[in-house]
Amino acid sequence: MKLKSLSTYDLKEFRHLSGIYLIKIKTRDYVGSSIDLERRLKEYKWMTKMSTEKCKRLLNPILSNAALKYGEENVKFKILEYCKKEDLLER
């Protein structure tokens, strides 16, 4: 799977899946993991549309600031690996 803009993803394709993902915003890369990729992707899409202060309190402030500064079209997302929930922290 290649890097694509967050806005191009259909959230349903990640339902009931866990895995490791990459988010790229301009020159910043963030690798994370989630036991619920659909929920996590919704959070990141939501992050690009809300106020700075609310994002800072609820989500990763570095990612929030970059997403708000550069806009949703510059937030790229890619699944690096699907894995079982119990294996996420070992990866």
Side-chain angles (χ1 to χ4, degrees):
M1 184 180 282
K2 66 179 197 165
L3 278 169
K4 297 192 315 188
S5 176
L6 263 179
S7 59
T8 63
Y9 281 98
D10 176 13
L11 298 176
K12 292 177 184 152
E13 68 182 279
F14 300 109
R15 187 162 285 158
H16 306 298
L17 294 175
S18 58
I20 301 164
Y21 59 88
L22 168 73
I23 291 180
K24 185 174 189 71
I25 305 174
K26 289 285 189 178
T27 60
R28 290 191 181 265
D29 291 348
Y30 173 80
V31 176
S33 63
S34 178
I35 61 171
D36 185 347
L37 287 169
E38 179 187 27
R39 180 185 55 81
R40 186 59 49 91
L41 188 55
K42 280 182 188 176
E43 288 172 355
Y44 287 127
K45 281 184 145 188
W46 176 68
M47 172 182 73
T48 64
K49 294 176 175 39
M50 55 182 326
S51 73
T52 305
E53 287 309 310
K54 196 166 189 179
C55 278
K56 285 181 182 177
R57 284 182 283 146
L58 300 175
L59 299 168
N60 181 318
I62 295 170
L63 283 177
S64 300
N65 286 338
L68 290 167
K69 180 177 180 179
Y70 297 112
E72 183 176 2
E73 65 278 357
N74 289 305
V75 178
K76 307 294 184 195
F77 185 85
K78 176 182 178 178
I79 300 295
L80 298 175
E81 178 181 0
Y82 294 103
C83 54
K84 295 178 186 174
K85 295 174 186 178
E86 55 271 9
D87 295 336
L88 279 176
L89 295 179
E90 294 177 16
R91 299 309 228 199

